[in-house]
Amino acid sequence: MSTLTRADLTVHTPAQGRAPWWRQAVIYQVYPRSFADGDGDGIGDLPGITARLDHLAALGVDAVWLSPFYRSPQADAGYDVADYRAVDPLFGTLADADALLARARELGLRVIVDLVPNHTSDEHEWFAAALAAGPGSPERARYIFREGGGETGEEPPNNWESVFGGPAWTRVRDRADAPGSPWAEDGQWYLHLFDSKQPDLDWGNPEVRAELEDVLRFWLDRGVDGFRVDVAHGLVKAPGLPDWAGHVSMVEGAEDADDTDPESPALRSPEGHHAHPPMFDQEGVHEIYRDWHRVLAEYPGDRVLVAEAWVDPIERLARYVRADEMHQAFNFAFLVSPWHAPELRDVIARSYRANDAVGAPTTWVLSNHDVVRHASRLGLARTGKGPNGIGATDPQPDAELGLRRARAATLLMLGLPGSAYLYQGEELGLPEHTELPDEARQDPAFFRTGGVERGRDGCRVPLPWEQDAPGFGFSPTGRTWLPQPPEWADLAADAQTGRPGSTLELYREALRLRAGLGLGLGSMSWSAEHATSPDVVAFVTTGAAEVLVLTNLGDADVALPGGWSALVASGPLGSGTDGDAVTVPVDTTVWARRI
Ligand code: NOJ
């Protein structure tokens, strides 16, 4: 280690000046249909969430991000919005949304809502008007309608694939509602990067820009603290919609993207395709976020924009959080990192470098409603992003190993300065439901890939609150829209409360310490002793006090360095007897303070 200087070891120093709340916030994602059900129909709702908000206050998070609860036919679980200003009756009413915001405020929790600007539902009044008005109309100009290719327009306008599988274009006359309608003979196609029920808006149209800005104001006026922006990198497409042969999958981005130059959005591969997907990360998106930044800045209280953008490399993603654009972007590179010390160190260091260069906080995330839960992902033979869902006949994760690593990964993440995102249920150590029957599945990705991708339902199973209640207390009737595994009784929130060593108590303790020690705003340096270790990630973070965070990813115990005393650990530590050092077992993280 003698070759490493102090400067080599320093990874991050916090930005100077006033720190708005979101620079260090721990933000908890609520997926409304699966959090808590108030009315007994088996689908979670806003009153259900409000009634359980004290669980989140007791957990110690700073803010809640709510996935969409707007009026929607639920073709993509609410990411298909039919009315951006209305609450879907499944979830309640606008008054229920106001009540939720008021209760959150009472509990000191901020609230971020989801904004889905790339596409609407095909049941949005604009799309209905576009179908009815026909080709060439101003109504169609709000979306991306085009004539087809081939002799008679029978080919889609280009070769783009939907992220959910199958073509990204649907011909108007092929829609299920075409027979007998005025568009029964209509030969135009419309673009949908996701399901055919999610037509893409045309962001070149000023009417679209004005409308979504108005939607921002609608929710800002109601008191929300910010927006998580869905598919933030997708709004603007390359001019001419050029062919592109790659496939884009969610969270980690394009599988064959080889664009490493952050300033070259239109590199061509040797085959002549855009190496950089022409549907994503186009320069024009940044102007939109500069406009939105100005809108948020008109409101008091440090409102925040969070980008959901699957953009590689990290330096390119950092362009979304330049000082006059968004405030945060999800760090999916961290989420998809294999359980491997050098790779984790690399992604952590690169994340700080890229975000610090633009003055933005780095964020951390391990799970969300689109990926296999990390308590299962980290128990797979190959760690990393993992498959899109797991089925009963697929290789199964090692549940014990997965949970042990998940707890270690979380404690590592929460020790890192910056802002962290938690996904509902991870504080209970919930695994993925890997044995859902196909009949129960609802994710459009399952249907559009003919079941090749199992889809995301396995991470969306309703939460277990009470071990002895029907449906584990998710709903007053015991109904749940997806079946819960019986083993979840032991994982219910009430079963874990006050149980020493439970995952819930670990999260509570870690969040309490993190806040008390000011870790979110700390500086961060690698521990010299472990800086190039193949097995250990270890760093010292300095907020209100110095804390050593050490994760053992190797296959043998590691000694806790002398001069440090354990504060919290993700699993039992080996006790130092007779002057021997305390040891950190495999797949365990410890936080320690100077003695
Ligand atoms: C990302 C969301 O997280 C995901 O759930 C959704 O299916 C797509 N965007 C499309 O809106």
Side-chain angles (χ1 to χ4, degrees):
M1 288 319 80
S2 51
T3 52
L4 288 172
T5 65
R6 212 184 152 71
D8 294 327
L9 295 171
T10 302
V11 184
H12 166 73
T13 30
Q16 297 300 306
R18 190 183 73 93
W21 67 274
W22 41 263
R23 282 204 167 263
Q24 57 170 327
V26 177
I27 302 174
Y28 181 101
Q29 179 187 0
V30 167
Y31 192 65
R33 58 170 42 234
S34 304
F35 188 73
D37 177 20
D39 67 5
D41 66 355
I43 300 179
D45 49 37
L46 298 184
I49 298 168
T50 305
R52 297 275 188 193
L53 276 182
D54 43 358
H55 167 80
L56 302 184
L59 183 60
V61 300
D62 302 293
V64 177
W65 147 37
L66 298 166
S67 279
F69 50 80
Y70 316 111
R71 197 162 70 69
S72 159
Q74 304 291 316
D76 184 19
Y79 282 94
D80 49 321
V81 179
D83 184 345
Y84 292 96
R85 298 180 186 81
V87 173
D88 195 278
L90 263 185
F91 299 123
T93 62
L94 267 183
D96 293 328
D98 290 340
L100 190 161
L101 286 167
R103 179 68 185 139
R105 217 169 288 128
E106 269 170 30
L107 291 168
L109 294 167
R110 310 226 178 209
V111 178
I112 293 172
V113 294
D114 221 302
L115 184 77
V116 188
N118 180 66
H119 44 266
T120 69
S121 162
D122 67 341
E123 297 183 29
H124 189 285
E125 63 176 19
W126 272 11
F127 195 75
L131 288 179
S137 61
E139 287 84 353
R140 287 221 169 165
R142 294 163 174 158
Y143 294 91
I144 305 180
F145 283 86
R146 293 288 184 275
E147 300 303 326
E151 299 221 329
T152 58
E154 73 285 3
E155 301 286 338
N158 70 22
N159 66 354
W160 294 2
E161 279 180 25
S162 151
V163 174
F164 291 159
W169 295 90
T170 291
R171 203 172 194 189
V172 174
R173 67 161 63 146
D174 294 339
R175 284 177 51 86
D177 58 6
S181 76
W183 52 91
E185 301 299 317
D186 193 327
Q188 280 205 320
W189 300 71
Y190 65 91
L191 177 70
H192 50 87
L193 292 183
F194 296 89
D195 193 69
S196 54
K197 285 183 67 64
Q198 294 167 292
D200 280 48
L201 288 163
D202 185 345
W203 275 84
N205 184 334
E207 219 188 322
V208 170
R209 292 185 182 230
E211 168 64 3
L212 267 292
E213 205 169 296
D214 198 62
V215 169
L216 287 178
R217 290 184 191 281
F218 178 86
W219 289 103
L220 289 167
D221 288 339
R222 295 197 104 80
V224 305
D225 294 285
F227 302 89
R228 174 267 189 192
V229 180
D230 190 63
V231 202
H233 56 319
L235 276 48
V236 174
K237 281 79 181 173
L241 310 180
D243 274 348
W244 185 69
H247 179 73
V248 173
S249 31
M250 214 171 292
V251 176
E252 97 275 35
E255 263 149 36
D256 65 352
D258 60 0
D259 177 1
T260 45
D261 176 359
E263 297 302 329
S264 303
L267 282 186
R268 278 178 183 276
S269 70
E271 301 82 47
H273 299 297
H274 280 270
H276 182 100
M279 65 290 272
F280 288 130
D281 196 27
Q282 302 298 310
E283 200 50 40
V285 294
H286 297 287
E287 188 189 313
I288 298 169
Y289 303 133
R290 287 192 192 103
D291 286 348
W292 292 4
H293 185 105
R294 283 191 286 271
V295 173
L296 265 69
E298 290 172 24
Y299 288 79
D302 295 322
R303 318 272 174 129
V304 61
L305 290 166
V306 185
E308 189 238 6
W310 332 315
V311 170
D312 291 324
I314 293 174
E315 294 70 27
R316 183 112 195 140
L317 179 63
R319 301 172 82 242
Y320 287 71
V321 289
R322 289 177 290 193
D324 58 349
E325 298 193 33
M326 301 227 202
H327 305 86
Q328 295 187 341
F330 292 132
N331 189 345
F332 293 134
F334 178 71
L335 186 153
V336 303
S337 172
W339 189 241
H340 181 232
E343 284 178 80
L344 273 169
R345 268 199 307 271
D346 183 57
V347 73
I348 291 169
R350 283 195 302 123
S351 300
Y352 281 123
R353 209 178 304 128
N355 287 300
D356 288 354
V358 292
T362 295
T363 69
W364 309 103
V365 61
L366 289 163
S367 279
N368 66 31
H369 65 294
D370 290 330
V371 297
V372 169
R373 284 182 174 277
H374 69 287
S376 297
R377 209 172 63 232
L378 293 170
L380 288 168
R382 225 179 105 206
T383 54
K385 190 215 166 190
N388 183 12
I390 299 174
T393 55
D394 297 327
Q396 296 294 301
D398 176 334
E400 212 182 297
L401 176 69
L403 181 58
R404 194 164 65 240
R405 286 180 173 172
R407 292 166 54 117
T410 298
L411 206 54
L412 165 67
M413 169 173 92
L414 292 177
L416 289 163
S419 176
Y421 280 82
L422 306 179
Y423 175 50
Q424 66 178 35
E426 67 168 87
E427 78 280 19
L428 305 176
L430 292 189
E432 185 84 357
H433 192 332
T434 58
E435 295 184 347
L436 277 176
D438 286 354
E439 313 79 74
R441 293 192 183 276
Q442 301 205 9
D443 184 356
F446 174 74
F447 300 101
R448 290 186 63 93
T449 61
V452 172
E453 292 188 9
R454 308 295 180 171
R456 300 161 290 171
D457 297 302
C459 65
R460 299 175 175 181
V461 173
L463 292 193
W465 292 97
E466 298 158 30
Q467 65 175 332
D468 292 326
F472 301 135
F474 170 71
S475 147
T477 57
R479 287 169 67 186
T480 60
W481 69 278
L482 285 172
Q484 301 159 306
E487 318 79 79
W488 282 19
D490 202 40
L491 298 175
D494 68 343
Q496 295 197 44
T497 300
R499 189 166 83 201
S502 73
T503 304
L504 179 57
E505 292 301 340
L506 172 67
Y507 271 69
R508 285 182 175 161
E509 179 66 356
L511 290 171
R512 193 184 64 77
L513 286 169
R514 182 186 149 98
L517 295 165
L519 298 189
L521 285 180
S523 61
M524 192 282 221
S525 316
W526 297 126
S527 141
E529 198 177 322
H530 307 96
T532 56
S533 161
D535 298 328
V536 173
V537 173
F539 55 87
V540 175
T541 171
T542 312
E546 261 188 340
V547 175
L548 169 71
V549 176
L550 186 152
T551 305
N552 179 1
L553 300 92
D555 50 19
D557 287 0
V558 168
L560 182 66
W564 295 93
S565 146
L567 281 166
V568 63
S570 64
L573 297 174
S575 56
T577 47
D578 298 335
D580 287 349
V582 169
T583 53
V584 184
V586 173
D587 294 327
T588 301
T589 296
V590 62
W591 290 3
R593 64 176 167 77
R594 286 238 188 250
I595 296 173

